[in-house]
Amino acid sequence: MRLATALRTTGGVWIAPLVLGWVWLVTAHEASNEPAYWAGNTVLVGHTLPFYAPACAAFAAWEAGRLRRAGVHRLGAVRGRYAIAFSVLWPVALLGVAAVVACLITVRLQTGVAHDWPHPGVLAMAGYLIVVHTAVGYGLGMMLPRILATPVILVVDYLCLVMPVTITSPMWLRELTGWLDAPYGDVTITVNPMALVVPMLMATGFLAAVLVSAQIAQWRRNRFVRIGAAAVASAVCLGVFTASAVAPVRNWTGDPPPQARTDAPVCADGSPRVCVPVEAAASLGPLTEASKEVVPRLVGAGLTPPKELAFVSEAAHIDKQTWRLFLYRDMRDVDLEASVAASALPVIPPCDTSTDVQEGNMGTLAAWLMVKGGLDEEAIRGQSSEKRAADPRLASVVRKVTKLSPEEQLSWYTRNVRLLQQCKPAPETMPASPPVEG
Amino acid sequence: MPIGFQSVNFGYRRRVPVLQRFTIDFPRGRTVFLGPNGAGKSTVLALAASVLRPDSGTVVYGRKTTTRRADLTAFRRRIAWLPQQIESVPRLTAREQVAYVGWLKGMNRRDAWDRSLGALERVELADLAGQKVRRMSGGQQRRIGVAQSLVHEAEVLLLDEPTAGMDPRQRRVFHEILSGLDQHVVLSTHDVADLEETYDHVVVLDRGAVRFAGEVRDFLALAPHGTAPGRLAEAAYYATVREEGPVCA
C-alpha cells in the first residue's frame, strides 16, 4: 500500500509513544552515571530489548490479523506472500529502529560526546532480533485470531526475554535472548562478540521454524498432517540452532567473559610509562605524579621496577613488567597513589569457592603494598575499591609484617603471592580470629 | 476459450468431493453461472481464479495453467476475482482499498492509486472515495468489490454473486457496467432477470455437475411450453436442475 496509507493506518502510530517512552526512561536511568564510551554503552540497546522487541512482535501479529480479516490471501494476488507481508511489516521494523535510535540518542544526551562510535555488532544483533521477533509475531498472527495473537505474543515474548536472567541454573540460558547485561561503563572492555552471535543463532532457529511452517502450511494435505509436520520441523530447527547457540556459552557463569579493548591507549612517557584508555586521559597527569611518588618507594621495598603502568582489563594480556591499574571516576590524589601501589600485585586467579573457609586474603598483600607506597592506615581504610585492602582487620597483620626486616617483608610478600596464585592456603595473610568466649 | 477446466477433481475434505472429473470451457463473452446453493459455483470460480488448487486435473487460460508455479503470476494478472464474501483491510478508505487490491494484482502503487478513482466512478462510489469501507452498507461494499475487480483491467472477470445485497437501482447500474465491459465475464448469481439482454451464455451447475452449457436462447428454449415470457429464465432453470443427467446445448 502507499506510504501515506501505511503510516496513517498502522497501529504503530499509537504504540510508538509508549514504546519509545519506556526505552527513553530505562536508558536514561541506566546511562546516567556512565562515562561517554559507546563500546560499553551500546549494550543498552540490548538491555532495552524487552521493551521494544515484544512490541514489534505484537504489532506484527496485529498487522497479520488485519490481512487475515481482509482475506488478502484469498484474492488471487500476484504479489508473493513475502511482498504482502513486507507491505505491512515495514512500519513494524521502523518502530524497532526508532527504539534503537531513541536509546542511542538518550545515551548520547546522558553521557556526552564519546571518542568512539556505537558498537556495530550490537546494532546488527538488535536489528536482526527485531526482524526475527517481527517474523514470529506475524507468523502467529496468521494462525490465531487477532484478538488472541497480539496479547499472547506480547506477554510470552516479554517473559521469554526477561525470565532467563532470573534463572541461575543453567547460567548460560541468559545468554540466548540478546538481553545484554554486560558491565557497561568499564572503559577497559568491549562487548564480547559471542554475546552477540549466540542470541542471533538462537533467533535464527525461531525464524527457520516460522519459515518452514509457512511452507508446510501450503501443502495440500490434511490439516492434522500439516500441523504435525510443522511441529516436527519447528522442533528440529529450534533444536539444531539452540544446540549451536548453547555450545559456546555452556561454561559461562554469569556475565560474558570480558573482552579487552584493542584500540591504542593514551600514554605519558616516563619511567614507568603510564597508559590509560582515551576516556580516562584526564587522569593521566595526576596518575603520572602519583607514580613518581609511589613506585620508587615500592622499588625501595625490593619490588622489581615496572616498565609500564596500564589501566587495562584483566582479559588483556600484559607482560610481567607491566602493572595493571584500576581506576574509577573522581579519584583523589590519595586514591591514585593507592591504585598505583595496589597495581604491583599480580593477578590472583579466583580459586575454588565451594567452601566458606577462606585460606588466604590478597587484601593483606595489597594493604602492605600501600603501606610501602607511603599510605597511612586511615587512607588505606578508605580504599574500598582496591582488592579488599580496606578491611580493618588486615591492619594488624600488616603492622606485624612491617616490623620485620625489609628482606623478611619482601620474602613474606613473594611467598604469599605465589601461594595465592597457586590456590594454596596462605595463613600468614589471614587476620587473627577473635578469641572464642566461654 | 478464456478459462477451461480439464478433468478437475476437488474436495475441501479428502472423502467429500465437490467436483469430480469436472470439464468445461467457459466461452468468450458474458457467461452467467447458475445453480442451487451448494452446487459448487463458488468453488468453480475460486478454482478458476487460482485461489484454490485442484486435487487433480488442470485449470487453463490460454497456455497458462494454475497448477504450474511458473504460470501462476501471469495467470493471476489476467484474471480479476470478486469472492462471495467481501472483506476489506481495516481502516482503509474506499479508494485505498481499491488501490491496494490493484497493487496486489501486480500494478505499481502509483498506477493503482491513479486508476482506483476511475474504478470507483464506474460503480458510482467516487463521492465516497474517502470514506472508510467498514462504515459502508453491504451493497456499497459489494460495489467496492466490483471496483476492485475493475481497477487492474484484467482480461477475465470472475464475479461470485456481485449483486448480492444491492437494491434494484444498483443492480441496474451493475448490469449497465457489465454491458459496457470489454473483458470476458463469468458471473454467478441467483438473479435471472434480464438474462437475454445482459448475457451471452449460460452454464447451470448442480451438485458439481454441469446440467446445461450453451447460449442464452437455447437455455430459454428449455422452459416448458406456455411459460409466460417474463418467467422463461426461471422456468428453464427449474427444468434444468430437475433433470437427472446433464443437458448441454
Side-chain angles (χ1 to χ4, degrees):
Chain A
M1 56 184 72
R2 289 190 326 151
L3 177 66
T5 303
L7 290 175
R8 185 182 64 74
T9 61
T10 186
V13 170
W14 50 268
I15 200 178
L18 192 68
V19 172
L20 298 183
W22 268 115
V23 168
W24 169 78
L25 206 64
V26 173
T27 307
H29 177 260
E30 298 285 347
S32 56
N33 291 319
E34 301 308 328
Y37 176 50
W38 277 118
N41 289 333
T42 320
V43 164
L44 283 165
V45 167
H47 196 68
T48 51
L49 195 72
F51 298 101
Y52 58 86
C56 289
F59 183 7
W62 183 260
E63 294 297 329
R66 284 176 74 206
L67 295 186
R68 271 188 78 208
R69 193 167 169 193
V72 163
H73 296 292
R74 294 192 299 272
L75 291 177
V78 169
R79 303 284 175 182
R81 283 180 293 152
Y82 298 117
I84 293 172
F86 183 77
S87 74
V88 294
L89 292 182
W90 69 262
V92 182
L94 196 63
L95 173 67
V97 170
V100 170
V101 170
C103 179
L104 296 176
I105 289 175
T106 308
V107 168
R108 167 63 180 84
L109 291 174
Q110 289 287 344
T111 63
V113 179
H115 296 277
D116 57 346
W117 293 95
H119 195 289
V122 176
L123 299 181
M125 182 201 76
Y128 187 69
L129 292 186
I130 287 169
V131 168
V132 174
H133 282 261
T134 300
V136 170
Y138 184 80
L140 198 73
M142 275 294 169
M143 291 189 324
L144 297 178
R146 185 166 58 153
I147 201 75
L148 192 64
T150 305
V152 163
I153 192 72
L154 182 68
V155 171
V156 170
D157 202 7
Y158 178 77
L159 291 176
C160 285
L161 284 173
V162 300
M163 289 295 289
V165 182
T166 65
I167 295 169
T168 54
S169 180
M171 267 291 194
W172 49 256
L173 197 62
R174 60 183 60 195
E175 312 300 341
L176 304 182
T177 64
W179 190 70
L180 299 173
D181 198 25
Y184 43 86
D186 183 343
V187 297
T188 64
I189 61 173
T190 186
V191 180
N192 190 319
M194 204 49 68
L196 306 177
V197 168
V198 161
M200 292 170 78
L201 275 174
M202 187 71 215
T204 302
F206 281 97
L207 184 64
V210 167
L211 293 176
V212 164
S213 298
Q215 285 300 119
I216 291 173
Q218 303 290 308
W219 288 3
R220 302 288 324 278
R221 291 282 188 276
N222 176 282
R223 178 193 282 190
F224 295 110
V225 169
R226 282 184 278 138
I227 290 174
V232 168
S234 298
V236 168
C237 290
L238 283 170
V240 166
F241 282 96
T242 301
S244 307
V246 169
V249 299
R250 64 182 179 280
N251 294 322
W252 288 11
T253 55
D255 292 331
Q259 184 89 0
R261 280 176 82 160
T262 54
D263 52 330
V266 290
C267 298
D269 289 326
S271 183
R273 190 166 178 247
V274 180
C275 293
V276 297
V278 63
E279 288 79 13
S283 63
L284 203 53
L287 201 52
T288 305
E289 293 302 314
S291 70
K292 284 178 184 168
E293 295 286 327
V294 171
V295 171
R297 293 179 192 142
L298 292 176
V299 171
L303 271 69
T304 306
K307 282 202 173 148
E308 185 172 306
L309 304 184
F311 179 27
V312 292
S313 162
E314 287 190 2
H317 294 293
I318 56 174
D319 60 41
K320 287 185 181 172
Q321 292 180 301
T322 300
W323 290 359
R324 195 188 306 266
L325 289 164
F326 174 71
L327 304 181
Y328 49 91
R329 276 186 290 189
D330 303 324
M331 292 177 86
R332 303 164 298 167
D333 289 344
V334 65
D335 300 324
L336 290 169
E337 289 173 9
S339 183
V340 170
S343 71
L345 188 66
V347 172
I348 308 289
C351 299
D352 179 24
T353 53
S354 58
T355 69
D356 289 336
V357 176
Q358 198 179 4
E359 296 183 320
N361 193 329
M362 70 172 175
T364 313
L365 302 174
W368 178 81
L369 285 168
M370 290 179 194
V371 167
K372 302 317 288 185
L375 278 76
D376 58 33
E377 281 186 15
E378 190 182 336
I380 294 172
R381 272 201 296 277
Q383 300 306 315
S384 57
S385 303
E386 294 294 350
K387 298 169 185 168
R388 293 183 275 162
D391 186 345
R393 298 175 300 161
L394 306 178
S396 59
V397 179
V398 173
R399 249 183 262 128
K400 199 167 141 192
V401 171
T402 52
K403 286 179 181 154
L404 302 172
S405 69
E407 294 78 17
E408 283 172 330
Q409 289 184 53
L410 185 65
S411 173
W412 169 89
Y413 173 74
T414 51
R415 178 170 63 249
N416 285 287
V417 165
R418 194 170 50 249
L419 286 171
L420 288 177
Q421 284 181 323
Q422 292 170 356
C423 292
K424 289 181 179 168
E428 291 176 303
T429 63
M430 295 298 293
S433 305
V436 177
E437 293 185 10
Chain B
M1 296 295 172
I3 296 251
F5 284 65
Q6 297 169 0
S7 292
V8 167
N9 291 303
F10 179 83
Y12 290 102
R13 283 182 286 173
R14 194 172 280 276
R15 291 193 182 85
V16 185
V18 175
L19 302 173
Q20 285 184 298
R21 292 185 297 280
F22 184 79
T23 299
I24 190 170
D25 289 323
F26 287 99
R28 295 184 184 278
R30 290 184 291 271
T31 302
V32 65
F33 200 10
L34 303 175
N37 291 333
K41 303 189 298 298
S42 297
T43 303
V44 168
L45 289 177
L47 284 163
S50 76
V51 173
L52 298 174
R53 286 181 64 195
D55 295 331
S56 63
T58 49
V59 178
V60 296
Y61 176 58
R63 291 191 192 141
K64 309 290 181 190
T65 80
T66 63
T67 45
R68 273 207 302 260
R69 268 195 183 275
D71 288 348
L72 206 56
T73 298
F75 189 101
R76 287 179 169 184
R77 268 188 212 277
R78 297 154 84 180
I79 308 288
W81 162 234
L82 173 66
Q84 196 172 47
Q85 294 290 113
I86 296 284
E87 296 290 350
S88 61
V89 180
R91 303 182 71 190
L92 292 193
T93 64
R95 188 172 181 183
E96 288 168 346
Q97 174 68 26
V98 173
Y100 182 59
V101 173
W103 177 78
L104 287 175
K105 278 298 195 175
M107 300 176 75
N108 67 51
R109 286 186 175 82
R110 179 185 288 274
D111 284 348
W113 182 254
D114 290 343
R115 289 196 200 164
S116 58
L117 195 58
L120 287 170
E121 283 170 355
R122 292 175 81 176
V123 297
E124 297 189 350
L125 281 178
D127 53 339
L128 296 179
Q131 184 168 316
K132 291 207 172 67
V133 178
R134 302 233 157 206
R135 292 201 189 134
M136 294 180 172
S137 68
Q140 288 172 330
Q141 291 191 23
R142 200 102 207 128
R143 284 151 68 193
I144 297 287
V146 174
Q148 285 173 194
S149 59
L150 297 175
V151 69
H152 63 109
E153 295 186 359
E155 294 172 9
V156 180
L157 270 59
L158 302 171
L159 311 175
D160 196 350
E161 304 204 25
T163 57
M166 288 189 190
D167 62 37
R169 199 195 79 80
Q170 291 168 350
R171 282 191 198 156
R172 193 171 62 250
V173 169
F174 174 75
H175 287 147
E176 285 168 9
I177 295 170
L178 205 59
S179 304
L181 289 176
D182 297 328
Q183 294 98 325
H184 306 294
V185 179
V186 180
L187 175 157
S188 79
T189 184
H190 290 295
D191 176 16
V192 294
D194 305 325
L195 207 68
E196 209 164 8
E197 289 81 17
T198 311
Y199 305 104
D200 306 314
H201 310 283
V202 177
V203 173
V204 180
L205 194 72
D206 188 15
R207 280 172 283 176
V210 175
R211 298 298 181 195
F212 176 85
E215 301 202 3
V216 171
R217 62 168 181 274
D218 295 328
F219 174 69
L220 294 175
L222 296 175
H225 184 69
T227 303
R231 299 184 67 105
L232 282 175
E234 191 181 332
Y237 170 76
Y238 284 121
T240 309
V241 297
R242 281 195 195 124
E243 289 284 341
E244 289 302 321
V247 178
C248 300

